[in-house]
Amino acid sequence: MSIFDELAKRDHEQVVFCNDKESGLKAIIAIHNTTLGPALGGCRMWPYATEEEALRDALRLSRGMTYKSAAAGLNLGGGKGVIIGDPKTMKSEKLFRVYGRFVQSLGGRYITAEDVGTTVHDMAWVWMETDYVTGINRAFGGSGDPSTVTAYGVFQGIRAALKFKTGSDSLSNLTIALQGVGQVGYHLLHHLVPAGAKVVASDLNQENIKRVNHEFAGIEFVEPDKIYDVPCAIFVPCALGGIVNDETIPRLKCQLIAGSANNVLEIEDKHSAELERRNILYIPDFVISAGGLINVANELIRYERRQAMRQASGIYDIVMQVLTIAQEEKITTLKASKTLAERRIYSVGRIKHTYVGSPLAKRGRGLG
Ligand code: NAD
């Protein structure tokens, strides 16, 4: 594998390899694009089988963050950290503090956060060594659990998609098939139920099902595998990735798919095209689930939950823009979301061509 060829393929700016013998830290920080602002993305800890696999994951995920931030209208670029190791056995204060020092050494080009295999608790150690970490505990001035904001953004995205498809954004009496009533799914119910939706749900976790049954009347639960067969207006995946695939697509009886689950299409291009062929409107997860990212972006300014919620309500308009591009340009909604992001990066990148003075110029340097 040629590292520079890999970087060139998707136009990555920088990759940093971090090594510390004493703590056992082996980490890769990938910065994809910083046109809009500092590269933000979580730090994943995973027992990768090979270093190549870790690098590929960092490159893929950092690029995804560029698109997610750009489409959400944030002034952030895309980055991702990966720590090679088993999160069950290899975590220590030392490891995360060393990781924090590497993040700090990038001077703000990369901002880290929790991700698969890392927790808010781990980020508290990172925070001891760097200014460039988000998603930390509210006790440390952070924004805490983002899932209420994510759920609100998903709700707004669902309403926009409905409006586009049917002319009305009312959920009254519509059947929703909700996969997963964990953090996001549970908070989403607080919007769907008052809006008059009839919810059929599934989950593997009995505690989470109990919590829902305790709080809401009239939610019907089906066996996890049966959720794909529920006749409904909207299928809302809020559990796992890869569940929209060759096996499940023929079973779906919905007009719309809109939920928070990351990477919900098993094979992006193939399955987005197949959904379109079947006249099922798919709202790309990286657009509709941006509330969590909006939440941590607010932490970088001065966190106020109300402001984060207000910004997440903008997902309604963003989904409308995506659907309009898809319709006008006769492309899938997935392609339209990427087009929206790319156009923003290009046009905002252009404004930076305007000279606004610089400290170097004042000192007589940087003029040549
Ligand atoms: P979570 O772990 O709190 O909830 C997931 C729920 O799905 C759990 O209750 C789990 O038991 C259930 N589940 C797992 N497999 C299932 C199956 N086969 N069938 C039915 N239920 C199943 O996670 P979350 O924070 O609610 O996130 C849900 C999804 O949204 C994830 O894909 C996550 O990456 C994505 N997401 C979350 C946020 C956020 O703010 N939490 C932001 C963006 C994207």
Side-chain angles (χ1 to χ4, degrees), residues 62-88:
S62 58
R63 181 166 175 264
M65 289 307 296
T66 297
Y67 282 101
K68 190 165 184 171
S69 287
L74 297 169
N75 288 323
L76 291 169
K80 203 81 184 182
V82 302
I83 296 178
I84 302 172
D86 188 341
K88 290 195 197 87

Side-chain angles (χ1 to χ4, degrees), residues 23-336:
S23 62
L25 178 80
K26 286 193 194 313
I28 302 170
I29 296 171
I31 296 177
H32 175 250
N33 186 296
T34 56
T35 304
L36 298 177
L40 187 142
C43 168
R44 182 164 289 199
M45 185 166 185
W46 195 252
Y48 292 100
T50 63
E51 289 167 12
E52 188 173 321
E53 198 186 302
L55 177 62
R56 284 195 199 284
D57 217 21
L59 294 178
R60 179 179 67 86
L61 295 167
S62 58
R63 181 166 175 264
M65 289 307 296
T66 297
Y67 282 101
K68 190 165 184 171
S69 287
L74 297 169
N75 288 323
L76 291 169
K80 203 81 184 182
V82 302
I83 296 178
I84 302 172
D86 188 341
K88 290 195 197 87
T89 56
M90 283 187 58
K91 284 189 180 181
S92 68
E93 175 177 355
K94 198 185 221 173
L95 181 118
F96 283 105
R97 290 184 73 155
V98 173
Y99 171 73
R101 292 183 76 80
F102 278 110
V103 171
Q104 183 70 7
S105 75
L106 294 171
R109 274 179 58 68
Y110 168 64
I111 301 168
T112 199
E114 65 166 311
D115 197 73
V116 175
T118 61
T119 63
V120 171
H121 182 71
D122 304 327
M123 289 306 123
W125 284 325
V126 173
W127 171 78
M128 289 174 192
E129 303 296 337
T130 182
D131 303 319
Y132 307 115
V133 56
T134 58
I136 52 172
N137 213 302
R138 284 192 122 158
F140 297 120
S143 56
D145 178 10
S147 50
T148 51
V149 183
T150 304
Y152 185 57
V154 170
F155 177 65
Q156 295 301 340
I158 288 174
R159 289 182 55 236
L162 263 180
K163 175 86 180 166
F164 192 89
K165 181 115 182 151
T166 68
S168 160
D169 58 15
S170 165
L171 276 92
S172 183
N173 291 321
L174 292 184
T175 301
I176 309 265
L178 172 63
Q179 182 179 50
V181 291
Q183 290 296 86
V184 178
Y186 167 75
H187 290 296
L188 187 56
L189 284 172
H190 285 92
H191 301 289
L192 297 177
V193 172
K198 180 178 173 307
V199 182
V200 180
S202 71
D203 203 297
L204 300 174
N205 182 320
Q206 292 306 317
E207 286 305 307
N208 287 349
I209 293 179
K210 245 191 244 163
R211 171 169 73 163
V212 169
N213 282 333
H214 182 72
E215 229 173 287
F216 300 94
I219 309 273
E220 181 192 342
F221 275 94
V222 295
E223 287 304 309
D225 188 53
K226 295 279 179 285
I227 197 78
Y228 307 109
D229 305 312
V230 173
C232 60
I234 314 168
F235 174 53
V236 182
C238 289
L240 307 171
I243 53 96
V244 176
N245 54 40
D246 288 345
E247 196 264 316
T248 57
I249 290 176
R251 293 167 59 188
L252 292 172
K253 297 177 185 70
C254 59
Q255 294 171 283
L256 244 170
I257 299 179
S260 72
N262 280 332
N263 305 316
V264 75
L265 303 180
E266 188 176 53
I267 306 170
E268 277 200 336
D269 290 338
K270 177 183 174 190
H271 292 135
S272 60
E274 181 57 18
L275 290 173
E276 173 139 329
R277 203 180 65 74
R278 289 170 184 262
N279 201 20
I280 297 177
L281 191 60
Y282 165 64
I283 308 304
D285 48 75
F286 76 88
V287 171
I288 198 164
S289 74
L293 181 61
I294 289 171
N295 196 54
V296 292
N298 272 269
E299 191 178 319
L300 298 173
I301 315 162
R302 189 171 156 275
Y303 189 71
E304 272 187 52
R305 177 63 47 118
R306 258 200 321 186
Q307 171 56 18
M309 293 292 253
R310 206 170 15 243
Q311 210 173 338
S313 69
I315 290 176
Y316 188 105
D317 291 334
I318 294 168
V319 166
M320 279 292 182
Q321 283 177 55
V322 166
L323 297 177
T324 305
I325 292 174
Q327 189 178 54
E328 285 175 357
E329 302 185 21
K330 299 188 177 23
I331 53 179
T332 64
T333 51
L334 179 69
K335 180 92 183 64

